[in-house]
Amino acid sequence: MSEQNAPSPVMMRVYENDKKGATGFFRNRAFLMTAVDLLKTLPRGHINILFHACSVGAEPYSFIAYAAMNGFFQHFESFNILATDIEPSFIAQAQAAQYPSSILNGMNDQERAFFASSSVPDMVTIHPAIKEAVQFIPAASFTDFQTDMAFDAVFVMNALTYVSAQEQTKAINAIAAYNTRFLFTTAFHPDSVKADMVQTGYHPASTNRAQIHNGWGDRITPAPIAPSSPEYSWRIPPYSENIPDYEYRCCAIFDKGTV
Ligand SMILES: C[S@@+](CC[C@H](N)C(=O)[O-])C[C@H]1O[C@@H](n2cnc3c(N)ncnc32)[C@H](O)[C@@H]1O
């Protein structure tokens, strides 16, 4: 199935305490395919990947499904895929991996094949091989996460919008200390993202940049968004090379190396 004909992802709205978020399986297929392809440019051997702000698990499970479909597990001899979120109950839901069966309506046949019916009515669960590939670790904020590990890739998707621009700077500085190569992020503070990336040694990757940007679905908003709007880092204009610093603002893949 071509991407143009692929069904739109079914979003799940999750709420707990003061934490909320929208997440979904296979939310941006161009992003998932590009992320897997870029990671496969890394040397064979071991790879460490960390997902911050994983919500109820749809994001890391989607990545692992695309990784399985696209030769990632043949490329690497061993891997650690860790995931966390600031909200412990979201992590517990991710570990339980029970989702409303309506999510299947947003999937193509290949994607749907990773799911099976659950013993819970109207729910589906994900294939054990996908579930077991990720290790959920205790709840943590990306602003003060600490680790002794070095991660080849860190994901902070659709989450920097929940912190201030100053906290974004702090978070990207902290992440750069334990991330050796790719930082995957979107819905960041657009006015300061270039400075945050430049000072930490990341450059924007151009691979499939426009396709990924325009793949963020309901976040694309043609009308200008005022910087004072709470949605300023969430809503994005359609991709255009006329946007100042578009290489950074319209990018979701930042790289410390060269592809
Ligand atoms: C809109 S959801 C995005 C979920 C997923 N990353 C995705 O793109 O589908 C935002 C998530 O960020 C989490 N979050 C908010 N602030 C956070 C922080 N400071 N550290 C870690 N996670 C955070 C929320 O709990 C929620 O799960």
Side-chain angles (χ1 to χ4, degrees):
M1 182 180 293
S2 79
E3 214 175 301
Q4 281 79 13
N5 299 327
S8 300
V10 172
M11 298 301 287
M12 295 180 281
R13 314 274 157 196
V14 293
Y15 303 93
E16 196 68 48
N17 302 319
D18 62 336
K19 293 294 170 300
K20 61 174 188 211
T23 191
F25 281 91
F26 313 120
R27 198 168 173 182
N28 186 327
R29 295 173 171 103
F31 169 72
L32 289 169
M33 286 188 288
T34 307
V36 172
D37 283 349
L38 288 177
L39 291 174
K40 281 169 51 195
T41 66
L42 294 175
R44 290 171 182 271
H46 184 81
I47 184 168
N48 287 329
I49 299 178
L50 172 65
F51 286 84
H52 280 300
C54 71
S55 184
V56 294
E59 182 195 343
Y61 290 142
S62 297
F63 170 81
I64 293 164
Y66 267 69
M69 286 192 275
N70 292 287
F72 175 98
F73 295 105
Q74 287 74 37
H75 182 86
F76 293 104
E77 287 159 20
S78 58
F79 61 89
N80 273 315
I81 301 177
L82 307 186
T84 184
D85 192 277
I86 198 170
E87 174 51 51
S89 71
F90 290 169
I91 299 174
Q93 289 179 62
Q95 285 171 310
Q98 303 284 334
Y99 301 100
S101 51
S102 58
I103 61 165
L104 300 180
N105 298 331
M107 297 180 197
N108 63 38
D109 290 344
Q110 265 191 310
E111 295 163 350
R112 215 175 281 131
F114 289 101
F115 292 81
S117 54
S118 159
S119 52
V120 185
D122 300 322
M123 301 290 268
V124 290
T125 189
I126 193 147
H127 194 284
I130 303 298
K131 191 166 178 249
E132 286 156 19
V134 58
Q135 185 190 344
F136 292 97
I137 59 173
S141 169
F142 50 71
T143 55
D144 51 19
F145 180 78
Q146 296 194 343
T147 181
D148 295 333
M149 288 177 70
F151 291 91
D152 303 279
V154 175
F155 289 72
V156 193
M157 303 300 288
N158 297 300
L160 287 164
T161 185
Y162 295 103
V163 300
S164 67
Q166 291 72 25
E167 286 172 308
Q168 169 174 298
T169 301
K170 186 181 156 203
I172 292 175
N173 265 295
I175 290 166
Y178 54 80
N179 175 213
T180 53
R181 189 63 196 267
F182 292 106
L183 172 55
F184 299 105
T185 185
T186 186
F188 39 65
H189 293 270
D191 295 340
S192 50
V193 71
K194 181 175 179 180
D196 290 343
M197 294 299 173
V198 168
Q199 73 158 353
T200 45
Y202 291 101
H203 63 84
S206 58
T207 316
N208 298 334
R209 186 160 50 202
Q211 202 188 353
I212 293 169
H213 181 88
N214 288 333
W216 289 118
D218 62 358
R219 288 182 48 212
I220 304 281
T221 311
I225 303 291
S228 57
S229 164
E231 295 201 308
Y232 187 56
S233 51
W234 180 255
R235 300 268 168 218
I236 47 177
Y239 184 85
S240 164
E241 297 190 358
N242 295 325
I243 296 169
D245 299 330
Y246 76 94
E247 300 98 321
Y248 290 82
R249 287 171 177 249
C250 298
C251 190
I253 303 177
F254 298 90
D255 185 4
K256 284 182 169 177
T258 46
V259 177

